[in-house]
Amino acid sequence: MANRLKNETSPYLLQHAENPVDWWPWCDEAFAEARRRDVPIFLSVGYSTCYWCHVMERQCFENAEIAALMNERFVCIKVDREERPDVDQLYMTAVQVQTGGGGWPMSVFMLPDGRPFYGGTYFPPQDMQGRPGFPTVLTALSDHFKSGRAELEQQAQQITDIVQRLAEPKGPETSFTLDLPMLLDLERQMRGDFEPMHGGFGHAPKFPRQTLLQTALQFEREHPDETRRAQLKQTLDAMAAGGIRDHLGGGFHRYSTDAKWLVPHFEIMLYDQAMLLDVYATAAELFDDDGYRSVARGIAEFVLREMTSPEGAFYTAFDAEVDAVEGDPYVWTADEVRAVIGDDEDFLRTYGLLDGPNFHDPHGPATEHTHNVLRVTGDFREAEEKFTEQRAKLLEARNKRKQPMLDTKIITAWNGLMIKSLFKAGSLLEDKTYHEASDRAVHFLVRNHHVLAEQSSGKDELKRSSRDGVHGPSGTLEDYAHLVNAMLAFSATDWTFEIDAAELFHAMVNRFGNASDAFYDGDASLIVRQMSAVDSPLPAASAVAGDCAQQLEHASRARAVVRQFAQNLREHPGGMCTVLGLALDLAPVRIAADDRATPSLEEVVQFRGSWKNDCELLLTLHVADGYHLHATPIGDMHSLVIGVVDQAASLGFPASVTEQFEYADEPVSVYCGEVPVTITFNTPPTEPVELRLRYQACSTSACLAPVSKSLTVKPECDSKGSCGVDCGCAS
């Protein structure tokens, strides 16, 4: 058993191949098996450098009793999100709809046809602190699948309907034009969460936000602004000096766990290196800053030294932990540093080693800090020049330690990002070795990874990934878009690349183009085809595809991408930086009003009261298309609270309600469309019933303001009279 993954290209999947769970890859055969056995599907999505994915694997999937329960009651599918980003994005949306949050490992329970009915992230191996353990969840959902199938079918369809609506970008109520003044205002909004104390955007955990930095640099080049320039320099300086940067190796870790850029989460991802190389090389040229040039060179040399395959392509990621200890190879004590470079007080002071330890494994025992993450306490530029020899000695010593796992997958999209960044850095930094490395990589991808194999559909196909010469699943939109973009970077020096890029672009349009002349993100075989322009943190694939269209002189298709997401861009520019940059290149762009009217706040949720009999009041909620209510809390409130004033009643409804009522059934997660609520009274009311309602509806892009209202429903007069059943007595 459990060897169904033995031929997979993903190291993440391969490491699960021998554990007690009978894992299936994402394939038609797995869904057929669920239908044959008439059992639900458990989908686990993670990736090789995910800490909590490893924790759940050790605690749950390697536990023989839990694995037996999984095998008996479910068909279990394991997915590497890096190989199937379309699957990950689709079901992450479903989890966020149900719970208001998400993350990895992602745990989704589905019907045999792929519609999700329940989801979450990490589950502990036993019940603890009011949180159900994984066996409890498995047993409850499996039993409910057998005894309450109709309810789960309804729940799954509700979630699928909401995900489908979320997949369709929101249109504007009135026409407008994305002109330069509006775009400059959106760019200011994009930077609205700038953190002035330590630089960066947002608070802890603090991510580099590369797409925001790239777009801000684009605006700065074309429309300089003193405030923007100051924010950019403070952020770039802080990251270059902080612990998020590997001062010995040259690369960047994934994010900072604190607001000061001090202690990183130690994963190292190829896409971070690619985008930060672009950011620092661009900033070096724009601001004429040798410090940024040094940082950019450090990133490029790290990737070429440690993340490059013998054939010239680029590997995926380094793990954050060694032997289940996070950051172990990267941290030092002052004495360990002295043993390598001698008693160099200047170095120790500059890199924070005299300030006392600043790190301990956050997932280990609650002990005092014992080690240091290296960071520069002053201007990083001076340290770059002054301590080159000491850093080289420490790197040599560090390389003798046990190293974190390197995921040797070659992902097309991420390689496309790295190729373009290396080519650009070669020009900006005047280093032909970077041009040569990017040229070698693009030739490898076009020759070996861009598989022009005849498929059953009769169309050529690009592969998402490969490992040791074996190809993974089919490419998604981001694979096509980033590879086309990388090939176009070379077209100025080799015109044949433009011909190849145009061919691949047309294959992308055939595979992912939609009726609006924009693009779907994923494969047509999924239950919902999503259209998104949110950066993730990679640049949004639709925006990159639009940029490719513009470069290939398909301006109408590029404008179609901007039009499709223009309203979302107006509302959430901070999450759609790449579309904002594309819009700047194309401005002005006229956006037409959407024919679908947007209901007012009061119209989003409407109520109708009627009597089923003397003691049962039916309250029907109608939730407008494009909106839904959560059963789980949003902030400090539940999104639907119903109370009856001065009456003895119980509520036949599985939402979260006031303390007067108890759950009547198992809670479901979301409500949309027509939602019936039955309120049962101990004795027939003789006076009008006053209902107090509080609700918060969520649209396709955000949650609306909470609404509180009162309804008065008259007691039943006559089953056929003016206040009878279906009369709608709510006033």
Side-chain angles (χ1 to χ4, degrees):
M1 204 189 300
N3 281 321
R4 304 183 200 276
L5 304 180
K6 64 182 179 181
N7 295 321
E8 291 294 314
T9 61
S10 164
Y12 176 71
L13 298 185
L14 289 170
Q15 72 188 25
H16 292 268
E18 300 299 333
N19 74 34
V21 180
D22 184 14
W23 291 113
W24 290 73
W26 183 274
C27 59
D28 293 341
E29 291 77 8
F31 289 89
E33 177 69 4
R35 291 192 295 271
R36 185 189 69 80
R37 290 175 52 193
D38 194 29
V39 295
I41 292 169
F42 169 65
L43 169 67
S44 177
V45 181
Y47 57 105
S48 62
T49 57
C50 167
Y51 177 83
W52 285 104
C53 300
H54 300 326
V55 171
M56 191 165 178
E57 176 194 0
R58 290 191 290 266
Q59 293 181 345
C60 295
F61 304 151
E62 293 180 356
N63 181 302
E65 292 183 3
I66 295 177
L69 184 62
M70 295 170 66
N71 294 337
E72 175 189 354
R73 297 192 177 216
F74 297 86
V75 166
C76 301
I77 297 177
K78 173 64 69 175
V79 166
D80 182 345
R81 69 178 292 259
E82 294 170 351
E83 288 208 318
R84 290 303 305 259
D86 51 346
V87 172
D88 175 65
Q89 180 181 326
L90 171 62
Y91 288 99
M92 184 61 74
T93 302
V95 170
Q96 290 169 336
V97 163
Q98 296 173 78
T99 68
W104 298 275
M106 178 169 60
S107 304
V108 184
F109 296 86
M110 307 186 295
L111 298 177
D113 61 8
R115 289 177 296 158
F117 60 83
Y118 187 79
T121 54
Y122 163 81
F123 288 98
Q126 63 271 328
D127 299 350
M128 54 190 302
Q129 298 177 344
R131 183 175 185 177
F134 196 48
T136 299
V137 173
L138 292 170
T139 301
L141 293 177
S142 175
D143 289 346
H144 203 50
F145 181 83
K146 295 175 183 177
S147 62
R149 182 72 168 269
E151 184 180 343
L152 288 188
E153 290 274 357
Q154 181 183 19
Q155 171 75 354
Q157 190 56 50
Q158 286 180 335
I159 295 170
T160 303
D161 289 344
I162 293 171
V163 172
Q164 178 65 64
R165 288 197 291 271
L166 289 168
E168 299 169 0
K170 183 178 181 180
E173 298 178 51
T174 58
S175 300
F176 65 93
T177 299
L178 281 171
D179 55 12
L180 181 58
M182 178 178 285
L183 293 173
L184 288 170
D185 182 63
L186 290 173
E187 192 270 340
R188 283 190 291 271
Q189 292 180 47
M190 178 189 77
R191 293 182 284 110
D193 60 348
F194 176 73
E195 198 272 281
M197 182 69 70
H198 304 290
F201 299 87
H203 299 277
K206 189 175 282 186
F207 289 79
R209 300 278 295 276
Q210 295 96 319
T211 56
L212 185 155
L213 295 173
Q214 288 173 315
T215 300
L217 286 166
Q218 177 188 352
F219 273 79
E220 180 63 20
R221 180 182 297 280
E222 300 181 25
H223 307 282
D225 176 85
E226 288 185 10
T227 300
R228 181 197 302 118
R229 178 176 289 234
Q231 291 178 353
L232 283 168
K233 285 187 172 185
Q234 183 181 354
T235 299
L236 295 175
D237 285 6
M239 291 196 302
I244 190 173
R245 180 178 172 221
D246 176 6
H247 292 273
L248 305 183
F252 275 78
H253 299 292
R254 186 159 169 249
Y255 62 86
S256 173
T257 61
D258 56 78
K260 299 187 250 185
W261 304 106
L262 174 59
V263 178
H265 176 46
F266 287 90
E267 284 177 280
I268 293 179
M269 315 299 293
L270 178 64
Y271 59 75
D272 285 326
Q273 314 314 308
M275 291 189 286
L276 286 170
L277 172 59
D278 176 83
V279 164
Y280 277 98
T282 300
E285 189 266 342
L286 184 61
F287 302 141
D288 191 20
D289 191 307
D290 287 338
Y292 297 157
R293 290 187 181 93
S294 179
V295 174
R297 288 185 183 279
I299 296 170
E301 289 163 12
F302 163 72
V303 171
L304 295 179
R305 183 179 67 245
E306 299 190 35
M307 299 188 76
T308 303
S309 73
E311 301 83 7
F314 305 112
Y315 294 139
T316 296
F318 279 101
D319 204 344
E321 61 177 27
V322 171
D323 294 334
V325 179
E326 180 160 356
D328 191 50
Y330 299 100
V331 296
W332 300 82
T333 65
D335 287 341
E336 288 172 338
V337 171
R338 290 188 180 98
V340 177
I341 66 170
D343 195 13
D344 189 332
E345 294 296 307
D346 193 9
F347 180 92
L348 294 171
R349 183 181 304 103
T350 298
Y351 284 90
L353 290 154
L354 297 183
D355 296 336
N358 58 31
F359 176 80
H360 73 89
D361 180 7
H363 308 296
T367 60
E368 294 183 358
H369 293 73
T370 57
H371 287 72
N372 280 83
V373 177
L374 298 183
R375 48 97 183 205
V376 177
T377 57
D379 188 339
F380 79 93
R381 295 168 183 81
E382 182 180 346
E384 286 291 301
E385 297 180 5
K386 190 173 183 179
F387 298 111
T388 302
E389 182 180 345
Q390 293 91 328
R391 290 197 307 273
K393 288 181 179 179
L394 287 171
L395 179 61
E396 183 180 0
R398 191 180 78 183
N399 287 340
K400 296 176 183 177
R401 299 174 175 177
K402 187 174 181 179
Q403 298 299 302
M405 185 274 294
L406 173 64
D407 185 342
T408 57
K409 285 197 312 293
I410 295 169
I411 297 178
T412 302
W414 301 12
N415 270 255
L417 269 174
M418 192 71 229
I419 289 165
K420 183 176 181 182
S421 291
L422 264 179
F423 186 87
K424 182 177 178 180
S427 299
L428 295 178
L429 303 177
E430 299 180 350
D431 193 324
K432 66 178 183 180
T433 61
Y434 301 160
H435 278 162
E436 292 167 355
S438 56
D439 182 76
R440 188 173 177 225
V442 76
H443 275 91
F444 172 83
L445 256 69
V446 172
R447 185 172 62 251
N448 294 311
H449 213 51
H450 173 201
V451 182
L452 294 176
E454 192 73 13
Q455 303 298 307
S456 59
S457 63
K459 297 179 181 178
D460 294 337
E461 184 181 52
L462 176 66
K463 291 297 184 180
R464 167 71 177 175
S465 62
S466 68
R467 183 171 180 267
D468 298 332
V470 179
H471 288 102
S474 301
T476 62
L477 176 65
E478 72 174 18
D479 297 300
Y480 283 80
H482 284 297
L483 184 54
V484 170
N485 215 14
M487 294 163 73
L488 287 171
F490 284 84
S491 61
T493 57
D494 185 346
W495 63 271
T496 60
F497 271 109
E498 185 168 350
I499 297 174
D500 292 337
E503 177 186 349
L504 188 58
F505 177 82
H506 288 298
M508 175 176 70
V509 170
N510 290 335
R511 189 175 180 88
F512 299 101
N514 62 27
S516 302
D517 280 344
F519 299 93
Y520 292 109
D521 291 327
D523 191 87
S525 64
L526 299 177
I527 58 170
V528 173
R529 294 193 80 179
Q530 293 185 292
M531 293 173 279
S532 173
V534 176
D535 300 323
S536 67
L538 273 72
S542 287
V544 177
D547 183 45
C548 294
Q550 180 194 16
Q551 293 180 67
L552 289 167
E553 299 183 354
H554 298 291
S556 61
R557 188 172 288 276
R559 290 176 181 275
V561 171
V562 173
R563 289 191 180 101
Q564 181 154 330
F565 299 105
Q567 181 62 24
N568 298 74
L569 175 63
R570 288 178 76 190
E571 296 178 359
H572 304 287
M576 303 178 69
C577 307
T578 311
V579 171
L580 180 57
L582 178 61
L584 180 63
D585 287 339
L586 297 168
V589 181
R590 180 67 176 167
I591 312 299
D594 194 334
D595 293 336
R596 296 167 295 181
T598 303
S600 67
L601 189 62
E602 287 293 318
E603 293 172 333
V604 169
V605 181
Q606 299 186 42
F607 300 86
R608 177 183 174 84
S610 61
W611 290 94
K612 297 168 68 173
N613 54 52
D614 288 349
C615 292
E616 290 187 313
L617 171 63
L618 177 64
L619 182 66
T620 302
L621 289 65
H622 177 76
V623 184
D625 289 345
Y627 295 86
H628 58 278
L629 304 174
H630 289 272
T632 50
I634 298 177
D636 295 329
M637 66 166 286
H638 291 84
S639 67
L640 178 61
V641 180
I642 301 174
V644 181
V645 180
D646 298 328
Q647 298 282 348
S650 62
L651 193 69
F653 184 56
S656 301
V657 296
T658 60
E659 64 277 3
Q660 297 168 257
F661 304 119
E662 297 179 356
Y663 290 124
D665 300 292
E666 290 294 320
V668 294
S669 299
V670 291
Y671 305 100
C672 59
E674 295 285 345
V675 183
V677 183
T678 300
I679 301 175
T680 303
F681 295 88
N682 294 334
T683 58
T686 57
E687 300 293 332
V689 175
E690 184 180 356
L691 305 178
R692 297 276 178 85
L693 303 106
R694 190 179 184 207
Y695 61 88
Q696 185 175 22
C698 293
S699 72
T700 55
S701 58
C703 287
L704 305 182
V707 174
S708 298
K709 63 172 19 178
S710 296
L711 295 177
T712 301
V713 182
K714 299 175 183 178
E716 184 176 22
C717 306
D718 184 328
S719 62
K720 298 180 181 179
S722 60
C723 292
V725 176
D726 298 327
C727 75
C729 293
S731 59

